[in-house]
Amino acid sequence: PLEYSEQMEHVAPFAKRLHIDVADGEFAPRLISLSQVWWPVGVIADFHIMHQHPWREWETIISHRPQLVIVHAEADLEDFVVRIAELHPLGIALGLASFQPTPVTAIDPNLIALVDHALIFSGDLGHFGGDADLNLLDKILELKAINPRLEFGWDGGANKKNVAKLAKGGVNVITSGGFIHKAKDPLHAYIELAHRCM
């Protein structure tokens, strides 16, 4: 919780949209519990739910009122249609993430057709950094063919060297944890990334 607070303080002065990872200790190493999650007033929050059984804490997830909840295609997604029906009336979007080795063909196209956001995951669950595998941008075209209204996110290894390629490759929302949080001047790092995306 202390590290989480410090990270929030780093980005609170300039962040407009936050990507918050929560894990269950089974699907991914536990970082912070849902009961400890908070974010600055006026900032949009996306929840990346790294849980094998995301519905077990569904009421708590919804109670936070994030603008987007992202679950993993590799998780237990029984009753997916019921859960998405619970989110949309509350103005909460639902996203679907997939690991690097998971091909789009391995994901139920009916799920892809229902979600609002697709997260291209190129990182190491629960850790900053990693390398951005730009070959994963090919997934965007495959996913768009199933659901052309998708917003696309990227998580893992985004930095000043590749952020422009990610933006040009069709990514709408680029999550950059390590590059910003490990920088001596997080605001400067954020501005540099944003400038390279223009």
Side-chain angles (χ1 to χ4, degrees):
L2 177 60
E3 185 179 357
Y4 180 83
S5 294
E6 290 172 347
Q7 290 176 358
M8 281 296 179
E9 289 168 6
H10 281 158
V11 299
F14 57 85
K16 297 178 181 68
R17 183 171 180 175
L18 296 171
H19 179 100
I20 300 174
D21 289 336
V22 289
D24 58 2
E26 177 185 359
F27 195 74
R30 182 177 285 280
L31 304 168
I32 188 168
S33 70
L34 276 163
S35 63
Q36 297 168 316
V37 168
W38 62 271
W39 63 91
V41 174
V43 178
I44 294 171
D46 300 342
F47 278 13
H48 182 188
I49 308 296
M50 301 181 294
H51 286 212
Q52 184 61 45
H53 305 282
W55 315 145
R56 287 182 181 171
E57 294 194 70
W58 199 238
E59 288 183 11
T60 305
I61 292 167
I62 292 174
S63 71
H64 279 288
R65 292 295 197 273
Q67 72 102 28
L68 171 66
V69 174
I70 304 165
V71 296
H72 271 264
E74 298 84 2
D76 177 7
L77 298 181
E78 187 179 354
D79 297 331
F80 191 89
V81 175
V82 174
R83 301 308 177 181
I84 200 168
E86 294 170 349
L87 288 183
H88 281 172
L90 299 172
I92 303 173
L94 185 60
L96 195 62
S98 60
F99 291 132
Q100 294 184 44
T102 302
V104 172
T105 53
I107 305 170
D108 184 345
N110 295 314
L111 300 187
I112 297 170
L114 286 172
V115 297
D116 310 288
H117 177 100
L119 180 66
I120 310 299
F121 190 77
S122 181
D124 181 12
L125 277 186
H127 303 280
F128 279 150
D131 295 319
D133 179 359
L134 299 186
N135 291 320
L136 294 174
L137 288 170
D138 292 342
K139 285 187 174 184
I140 291 179
L141 291 176
E142 295 178 69
L143 290 162
K144 265 188 178 177
I146 300 169
N147 183 348
R149 63 179 179 78
L150 282 172
E151 173 187 70
F152 289 95
W154 182 278
D155 187 2
N159 57 44
K160 64 182 181 180
K161 295 179 181 178
N162 58 33
V163 71
K165 291 178 182 177
L166 294 174
K168 288 176 183 175
V171 181
N172 309 109
V173 182
I174 301 171
T175 297
S176 180
F179 185 78
I180 291 174
H181 283 290
K182 291 180 180 179
K184 290 182 180 178
D185 184 345
L187 173 58
H188 177 77
Y190 170 79
I191 291 172
E192 185 171 17
L193 290 181
H195 177 73
R196 289 172 185 261
C197 285
M198 294 178 180

